[in-house]
Amino acid sequence: MTPAPHTHTLANGLRVTLVEDNTTPVVAVNLWYHVGSANERPGRTGFAHLFEHMLFQGSEHVAANEHFELVQRSGGTLNGSTWLERTNYYETVPAHQLALALWLEADRMGRLLPGLTQEKLDTQREVVKNERRWSVDNQPYGTWWEKLPALAFPGEHPFHHSLIGSFEDLDAASLDDVREFFATWYAPDNAVLTIVGDVEPEAALALVETYFGGIPRGRARPALGDLSVPERFEGWRRQVVPDEVMASRLFLAFRSPPFGAVDADVATIVAAVLGNGKGSRLQQQLVRGRQVATSAAAFTFDLSRGRDLLVLDVTARPETSADILEAEVASVVDDFRRTGATPAEVERAIALSTTEFVTSMQSAQSRADRISQYMTYRGNAAELAAWSDRLAAVTTEQVNRWAAAWLGEDNRASLLYVPKATVEDHT
Amino acid sequence: MRAPPRPGPGAPRPYHFPATESHLLANGLRVLVAPLHRLPAATVLLLTPAGGEVEGADAAGLAALTAPALLEGTSQRDTNAQAAAFEQLGGEVFSAVAWTHADCGTTVMSSRLDATLGLLAETVMEPALPSAGVARLRDERQAELLQQQAEPRGLADDLLLASCFDAGDRLSRPLGGDMARVAACTDAMVRDFHRSRYVPRGSVLIVAGDVKADAVVRRAEATFGTWEDRTLPPHEGRSRAALPARVRVLHRPDAPQSELRVGHASVARTHPDFHALAVMNAILGGLFNSRINLNLRERHAYTYGAFSSFDWRRDASIFSASTAVQSEVTGPALREMLHEITRIREAPVAADELSLAVDYLTGVFPLRFETTAAIADALAMRIGFGLEPSYYDTYRERVRAVDAAAVLRVAQEHLHPDRLQVVVVGDAGVVEPALGELSLGAIERVSAGG
């Protein structure tokens, strides 16, 4: 493995992690702001994501879309994304272009507002509406991204509402909202910067100080709404969604420990036993064995506060009814709960998860993103390095205790997509 | 606070595509090793000359059915034991098909390479290809095609394929085959295809990662050395006649968006204009700041994204431009797309557009090869298309040699606005009048799967 991370905090509160890796002459710059859709005000759903678009529309010294142009011209790739609890921005560039990437990120963190216009906001609002049509409204099962959190979290909970937002709320967003959101959340003391690649850490830190050091701290940030929820769903919440689809699909969610908790590592292995790889139970039993499904997967949302969600995503064969799909998935889960996994299954799950982890660390950007995740949610980059050791230490007994405790009918929320043509049978 | 000035770039650091060592086994199997001592991982990939392009149009989907059938068990273990054996080693095995080749492989910690090569040899040389497993894979492909009838993007992609080539041409159908032809693929056909196309001569075992070449070759000899040598006829390329322009609409009542595709058949991947076409496409629709995306997304806000690309094939590629727009602006969005395709043929691109594309394509090169899997895939692409071994070593200087005159020339020679196939998946009631106003010719309404 490459050298351990160096972590520093600038006087303005920006936390910086640097990892030197000289194997390829590239460097990844990765910036997480600790703000996501959970921080939105009522009536302004979708705002954190709309704002992410605005961050590519220029700042004091950068014209609209020039950020994209300068990074691509330098031979780099870039993007940003918004999630429930964070927004990230990232560039991977040839190593000699590090200063440019840092300068671009610093100009928009320190000096976004001079570049802002109503026209840019209006354009990006329409772009985001098209993004919603493309990824949600005109996409089979596309609404699951908003229906599952809405089902899993109570009405006023910060995770309940739509991440991409409604057309109504997007239309309501004003230039003043953009200014206020920026001033509130886009400050160095609410951000984490990670640099991974062919850099000398001291020299890179000096560049960070040059470009970010003069940006003032943010003001007091409003507290999030109440994130606490009961440990379990306390029942089986079901929602049936008629959709323009040819086959049923079930999303079955369990409340699980938040990201970073010891038991979250066990949950990762539980998910892998159930739905990661051809050797997983859902794929063996439902896709190849009983042949009622065409695909099956399991994953966690990686929510760091309150409770996370462990989600099974299983698509039926066209001829399998929604009822049978739900019963079959439930039987796999119930069987696991009752009889537990074998040591060989747990070994398989650990080996697969470990290889996935190590191979993802090959990419400077995905390594930087995981470091930013640990810094933002856990305040600790070293925890990431120990993660594969922690996975390897998960025992069959822990897995089976976890499954027995958390996979029960008292802890389920399911979203069952059914073809519209057959909806009469399900209402 | 005064802002620090915009920095200039530092000095570029040298980058070389990983060196490979090549060894030919007695039975004709080539072993290609790229030693990369970065992390203790290795990707192994066995490439066989069993891609979709070797099928007749009547057997469309047979190659795509055969590749995953390798994972339905072997002479020594059933499908679950086979998957478990790989995953116990930490590797998720895949077996997939491209137009030029099929490949089967996995990524594991390099300490587990020897055991992995043994399993891979068993998987490729002695698959059980059981009737029940093949039948299930065929059912899954048919389910996928059925599902796609509710999936506008996939429908639009397949309709463009069908529009760019004659109906009797294998290339007019998806790599995975269509409903009728997949239904006709039997397990006996799969076994025949495996027997005839999965042969050592013409196949390549690629290993990229934390390994020593001589140790890999020794292990390859031990595991693949007994594979019986047989020779395949060489690939014979053929060119395709140009088709006239057509407009096709697939009606989806009340669709919130129209999926748009415009394109036509284009030149082979090995065409000498490849690098100039790559630069031309980057400027036209390949980059975020390309003409098409800036026009449709940033200027007009018609879309979340609009781009153009070449889907490269050995004999005949497809040039296309794609986007999804709100139904009401289908006409104007299509007009802007056609305008950009025409405009790039009319005048040389500006110096800053050219330098953006060239600098991006040459600079991004090292970023594309960070992982063992990416390097193995890059080698597979090179071998599959029959590109010269120095392809990656000379790529950047060839791109840098492209000038504005070359971009104009290839745009004029290889983009054909008068032959564009226009495909719209959307609400016909809304889009057909708009298409009529553009005077692109007769509008043909087609149905899903037809």
Side-chain angles (χ1 to χ4, degrees):
Chain A
M1 293 291 232
T2 49
H6 301 248
T7 300
H8 304 269
T9 303
L10 302 193
N12 60 15
L14 180 68
R15 286 167 292 161
V16 186
T17 304
L18 303 124
V19 179
E20 183 175 3
D21 177 348
N22 310 115
T23 49
T24 310
V26 305
V27 62
V29 170
N30 179 289
L31 193 53
W32 276 41
Y33 290 94
H34 204 173
V35 59
S37 61
N39 303 90
E40 288 161 350
R41 293 189 286 121
R44 292 291 183 277
T45 64
F47 198 82
H49 170 256
L50 174 62
F51 186 87
E52 178 211 321
H53 278 244
M54 295 309 294
L55 220 63
F56 288 98
Q57 289 302 308
S59 45
E60 187 174 6
H61 303 99
V62 182
N65 294 317
E66 198 183 12
H67 191 112
F68 257 97
E69 174 171 344
L70 289 171
V71 172
Q72 293 200 321
R73 189 179 281 283
S74 80
T77 57
L78 70 161
N79 216 330
S81 75
T82 307
W83 188 229
L84 280 70
E85 294 183 90
R86 58 86 185 145
T87 312
N88 67 1
Y89 299 90
Y90 47 91
E91 294 83 20
T92 306
V93 292
H96 64 285
Q97 302 282 5
L98 172 63
L100 175 69
L102 293 173
W103 180 84
L104 283 165
E105 288 295 355
D107 201 59
R108 56 187 183 179
M109 182 195 283
R111 294 168 293 277
L112 180 78
L113 296 182
L116 204 60
T117 66
Q118 184 67 44
E119 190 191 355
K120 288 177 183 175
L121 175 62
D122 291 341
T123 299
Q124 292 309 309
R125 191 201 319 271
E126 293 307 311
V127 169
V128 169
K129 287 193 209 166
N130 281 315
E131 182 177 358
R132 189 193 152 91
R133 289 183 188 104
W134 182 77
S135 64
V136 178
D137 301 328
N138 202 28
Q139 186 61 20
Y141 319 106
T143 52
W144 86 271
W145 287 108
E146 53 192 18
K147 288 189 185 296
L148 189 66
L151 182 68
F153 297 99
E156 298 309 308
H157 191 283
F159 295 157
H160 173 86
H161 67 262
S162 168
L163 193 152
I164 197 156
S166 65
F167 284 105
E168 188 187 6
D169 282 7
L170 289 167
D171 281 335
S174 72
L175 212 50
D176 280 343
D177 292 328
V178 176
R179 292 195 186 99
E180 191 200 327
F181 196 83
F182 176 71
T184 306
W185 301 106
Y186 278 67
D189 49 326
N190 195 42
V192 154
L193 172 66
T194 306
I195 299 171
V196 174
D198 190 8
V199 294
E200 197 278 301
E202 289 304 314
L205 187 62
L207 285 174
V208 171
E209 186 65 60
T210 300
Y211 295 122
F212 290 88
I215 301 172
R217 259 176 197 278
R219 59 192 193 192
R221 286 177 284 279
L224 268 178
D226 186 5
L227 285 148
S228 62
V229 285
E231 280 197 318
R232 293 173 175 77
F233 283 116
E234 296 170 350
W236 189 340
R237 299 180 187 179
R238 287 185 170 91
Q239 187 181 344
V240 175
V241 186
D243 198 5
E244 294 286 352
V245 295
M246 308 300 284
S248 298
R249 178 178 287 182
L250 177 71
F251 294 93
L252 178 59
F254 308 88
R255 286 228 169 106
S256 71
F259 178 86
V262 174
D263 263 7
D265 302 332
V266 181
T268 298
I269 300 304
V270 167
V273 168
L274 276 170
N276 187 0
K278 287 172 68 79
S280 66
R281 286 199 171 195
L282 288 166
Q283 291 195 29
Q284 274 204 15
Q285 295 181 24
L286 302 190
V287 177
R288 281 178 290 156
R290 298 201 279 283
Q291 303 188 10
V292 292
T294 53
S295 69
F299 51 89
T300 55
F301 263 49
D302 289 354
L303 301 171
S304 77
R305 293 171 288 197
R307 300 287 289 173
D308 193 12
L309 295 175
L310 189 163
V311 183
L312 310 183
D313 170 358
V314 186
T315 305
R317 285 195 173 208
E319 68 272 20
T320 304
S321 76
D323 293 339
I324 287 177
L325 175 71
E326 189 182 73
E328 290 281 359
V329 173
S331 89
V332 172
V333 172
D334 289 338
D335 182 53
F336 183 19
R337 248 187 94 223
R338 274 195 304 271
T339 59
T342 64
E345 281 182 293
V346 174
E347 188 192 328
R348 182 202 73 89
I350 290 172
L352 204 54
S353 304
T354 304
T355 305
E356 282 172 4
F357 174 72
V358 171
T359 54
S360 75
M361 292 294 106
Q362 291 183 320
S363 150
Q365 191 57 258
S366 62
R367 184 193 296 204
D369 201 55
R370 289 298 299 270
I371 291 173
S372 289
Q373 181 187 34
Y374 272 83
M375 282 302 293
T376 303
Y377 293 160
R378 307 284 300 164
N380 183 352
E383 232 180 75
L384 173 64
W387 194 66
S388 62
D389 291 339
R390 291 208 314 278
L391 278 189
V394 171
T395 66
T396 305
E397 194 210 341
Q398 283 176 304
V399 166
N400 293 340
R401 206 178 325 129
W402 198 103
W406 301 106
L407 294 180
E409 289 199 15
D410 60 342
N411 187 31
R412 295 181 190 178
S414 60
L415 208 54
L416 183 59
Y417 280 82
V418 299
K420 257 189 183 156
T422 65
V423 71
E424 293 76 19
D425 304 333
H426 295 272
T427 46
Chain B
M1 182 201 96
R2 246 186 89 247
R6 179 183 296 188
R13 293 171 207 179
Y15 172 80
H16 300 287
F17 186 80
T20 54
E21 295 180 44
S22 175
H23 182 88
L24 194 66
L25 299 191
N27 61 4
L29 176 67
R30 183 163 296 283
V31 182
L32 192 65
V33 185
L36 302 158
H37 307 291
R38 181 178 184 186
L39 285 167
T43 297
V44 297
L45 193 156
L46 186 78
L47 176 149
T48 45
E53 69 187 7
V54 302
E55 305 162 343
D58 288 344
L62 180 58
L65 198 57
T66 305
L70 299 183
L71 305 181
E72 293 301 311
T74 70
S75 59
Q76 300 176 43
R77 56 196 104 211
D78 72 12
T79 176
N80 287 338
Q82 180 189 26
F86 275 104
E87 291 174 10
Q88 221 77 334
L89 294 170
E92 188 163 11
V93 60
F94 67 86
S95 189
V97 73
W99 285 102
T100 50
H101 62 271
D103 53 18
C104 181
T106 186
T107 298
V108 293
M109 305 298 279
S110 37
S111 57
R112 289 159 164 176
L113 181 70
D114 281 3
T116 304
L117 285 176
L119 267 175
L120 186 63
E122 181 187 316
T123 297
V124 175
M125 293 160 57
E126 310 164 26
L129 305 174
S131 305
V134 172
R136 199 198 81 248
L137 289 168
R138 194 173 51 219
D139 289 351
E140 284 178 8
R141 171 60 185 161
Q142 289 176 302
E144 180 183 64
L145 285 164
L146 196 61
Q147 286 242 54
Q148 190 176 285
Q149 292 180 12
E151 209 281 286
R153 300 175 207 171
L155 284 175
D157 290 339
D158 284 359
L159 186 53
L160 182 69
L161 275 188
S163 302
C164 286
F165 299 101
D166 282 323
D169 193 327
R170 172 65 188 95
L171 296 186
S172 74
R173 305 180 196 287
L175 184 54
D178 56 18
M179 203 61 101
R181 282 153 194 90
V182 170
C185 287
T186 65
D187 50 302
M189 287 162 71
V190 166
R191 283 190 285 274
D192 276 349
F193 190 78
H194 176 264
R195 200 175 306 119
S196 62
R197 304 298 312 189
Y198 283 72
V199 298
R201 197 162 294 275
S203 294
V204 184
L205 176 68
I206 297 168
V207 181
D210 188 15
V211 297
K212 289 197 172 69
D214 53 351
V216 171
V217 170
R218 273 201 306 278
R219 183 66 187 155
E221 262 164 359
T223 51
F224 288 94
T226 56
W227 200 3
E228 189 193 344
D229 185 7
R230 261 174 312 132
T231 305
L232 289 179
H235 175 77
E236 283 179 28
R238 68 178 182 93
S239 56
R240 266 80 178 173
L243 298 175
R246 284 180 296 195
V247 184
R248 292 173 161 183
V249 173
L250 200 161
H251 179 44
R252 284 174 54 84
D254 304 321
Q257 278 189 325
S258 298
E259 281 285 347
L260 291 179
R261 305 286 182 273
V262 299
H264 55 62
S266 188
V267 295
R269 175 63 175 80
T270 47
H271 194 283
D273 285 340
F274 170 79
H275 297 85
L277 283 169
V279 173
M280 187 278 295
N281 182 66
I283 296 167
L284 176 63
L287 294 171
F288 184 87
N289 280 16
S290 69
R291 292 179 174 192
I292 286 176
N293 197 52
L294 284 187
N295 182 335
L296 272 80
R297 172 177 155 135
E298 298 296 321
R299 193 173 316 140
H300 286 108
Y302 288 151
T303 176
Y304 176 50
F307 56 91
S308 67
S309 64
F310 282 86
D311 179 3
W312 293 107
R313 310 271 175 83
R314 182 137 56 168
D315 295 346
S317 308
I318 293 178
F319 162 76
S320 67
S322 314
T323 193
V325 300
Q326 198 182 350
S327 307
E328 287 70 22
V329 299
T330 302
L334 186 57
R335 186 169 54 227
E336 292 304 320
M337 254 180 166
L338 300 175
H339 168 68
E340 295 298 353
I341 293 170
T342 303
R343 185 165 76 95
I344 201 163
R345 300 173 77 253
E346 290 174 341
V349 296
D352 63 334
E353 291 180 298
L354 177 70
S355 62
L356 171 60
V358 169
D359 290 351
Y360 173 72
L361 290 172
T362 54
V364 81
F365 192 77
L367 275 61
R368 291 165 53 201
F369 307 118
E370 280 192 284
T371 67
T372 56
I375 288 161
D377 285 346
L379 291 169
M381 191 284 283
R382 193 198 86 199
I383 295 162
F385 282 117
L387 302 172
E388 66 273 25
S390 65
Y391 174 75
Y392 292 109
D393 300 319
T394 59
Y395 176 87
R396 279 172 295 172
E397 65 191 69
R398 289 190 181 201
V399 168
R400 270 193 289 267
V402 175
D403 58 17
V407 170
L408 184 62
R409 180 184 63 76
V410 298
Q412 290 172 344
E413 282 184 25
H414 301 300
L415 298 184
H416 306 290
D418 56 327
R419 290 187 215 154
L420 282 171
Q421 308 294 316
V422 174
V423 162
V424 183
V425 175
D427 190 321
V430 180
V431 304
E432 283 178 356
L435 290 171
E437 283 174 26
L438 291 176
S439 305
L440 299 168
I443 299 166
E444 183 188 349
R445 207 187 272 202
V446 299
S447 57

